[in-house]
Amino acid sequence: MAYDQNNIFAKILRKEAPCFPVYEDDMTLAFMDVMPQAEGHTLVIPKFPAENLFDLDPEYAGAMAKTTKKIAAAVKEAFAAPGILIAQLNGAAAGQTVFHIHTHIIPRSQGIDLKLHARELADFEELKRHAERIRKALG
Ligand code: 5GP
């Protein structure tokens, strides 16, 4: 399947759609997931038009891993999370719903179940506060 330039993350990268950003550099952008599976659920995307890992330029794969590590540490601190789940889905069969590659960074605590994937829209004021918390942890 050809990369769809009108997918929502492509629009966020072109600033045609809003997001709650936490970090940006030349090759990547990190922002809050609007339907979080746990408080602090953050996404990292490369500034490269790839649907999945197989289409991604290796340099951008490296940049994405680097940003994911950096943001995961900040999310862990900001939400005092004992665990962090990192996920990256490739293809509809794997559960992918937005076809611009991204990593999910999701705080986990024992005994607290994850909410359903891409199901319930969060309160935008709360997402804004969460993004601020993560930016603060980034220093
Ligand atoms: P996937 O299923 O492709 O691995 O994950 C896509 C993620 O994008 C889901 O967790 C979903 O909640 C999130 N998402 C879908 N639409 C939007 C949007 O417009 N903005 C943001 N920030 N996240 C979105």
Side-chain angles (χ1 to χ4, degrees):
M1 197 164 51
Y3 178 82
D4 174 10
Q5 295 287 353
N6 284 319
N7 76 74
I8 185 63
F9 293 170
K11 287 183 179 172
I12 286 173
L13 279 177
R14 292 196 300 269
K15 302 197 188 311
E16 293 168 10
C19 74
F20 300 99
V22 302
Y23 174 80
E24 181 167 14
D25 60 27
D26 287 351
M27 297 173 91
T28 62
L29 172 70
F31 53 95
M32 305 313 296
D33 192 307
V34 289
M35 291 173 269
Q37 290 186 256
E39 280 198 349
H41 184 166
T42 307
L43 301 170
V44 175
I45 63 174
K47 295 179 177 178
F48 184 92
E51 274 190 24
N52 54 46
L53 192 59
F54 312 110
D55 302 338
L56 187 61
D57 178 285
E59 276 199 32
Y60 279 86
M64 206 176 148
K66 202 171 155 193
T67 299
T68 298
K69 178 171 160 50
K70 185 184 181 83
I71 303 305
V75 168
K76 186 169 175 21
E77 185 187 320
F79 290 86
I84 292 286
L85 170 68
I86 293 179
Q88 191 272 304
L89 313 181
N90 296 282
Q96 186 176 6
T97 57
V98 176
F99 293 92
H100 179 108
I101 185 172
H102 49 278
T103 47
H104 295 263
I105 297 169
I106 309 177
R108 295 302 320 266
S109 298
Q110 254 157 8
I112 301 180
D113 289 336
L114 281 184
K115 290 190 193 165
L116 290 176
H117 181 63
R119 191 63 65 90
E120 195 186 331
L121 207 56
D123 177 83
F124 281 9
E125 283 306 312
E126 190 174 52
L127 287 181
K128 200 171 154 190
R129 285 195 296 275
H130 289 172
E132 276 163 19
R133 259 160 84 171
I134 298 167
R135 283 201 303 270
K136 202 167 158 203
L138 281 166

